């Protein structure tokens, strides 16, 4: 559920949880796309790929970005 995931992300940010930052960033991308906020999702995806280019999560994020861009054409 995207709404529940969004609440959990906000809570982690409020608490300043430094752990799993990369994973939280990837989840934020996925949740944003799931909420239908495509432009924001693209922005977050690009930021993720710039910050974590060698992440094991990068291919999945790149795929989500490519898919969203293809759907807008």
């Amino acid at each position: 559920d995207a709404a529940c995931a969004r609440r959990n992300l906000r809570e982690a940010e409020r608490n300043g949880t430094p752990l799993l930052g990369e994973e939280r960033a990837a989840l934020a991308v996925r949740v944003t796309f799931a909420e239908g906020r495509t432009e924001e999702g693209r922005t977050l995806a690009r930021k993720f790929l710039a910050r974590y280019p060698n992440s094991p999560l990068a291919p999945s994020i790149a795929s989500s970005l490519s898919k969203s861009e293809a759907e807008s054409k």
Side-chain angles (χ1 to χ4, degrees):
D1 172 344
C4 180
R6 176 65 64 196
R7 284 190 300 276
N8 289 336
L9 283 169
R10 287 186 181 138
E11 183 178 330
E13 290 169 6
R14 259 195 319 273
N15 293 333
T17 307
L19 300 176
L20 304 174
E22 183 177 331
E23 290 80 0
R24 276 199 331 268
L27 182 58
V29 171
R30 291 188 181 111
V31 168
T32 302
F33 278 129
E35 292 172 330
R37 295 166 32 214
T38 306
E39 287 303 318
E40 185 179 352
R42 289 177 186 156
T43 299
L44 290 176
R46 289 183 189 109
K47 287 180 181 180
F48 179 91
L49 294 170
R51 185 168 185 184
Y52 305 108
N54 298 317
S55 169
L57 300 169
S60 172
I61 298 300
S63 175
S64 295
L65 177 59
S66 294
K67 181 179 175 185
S68 78
E69 291 172 337
E71 289 173 352
S72 69
K73 292 182 180 181

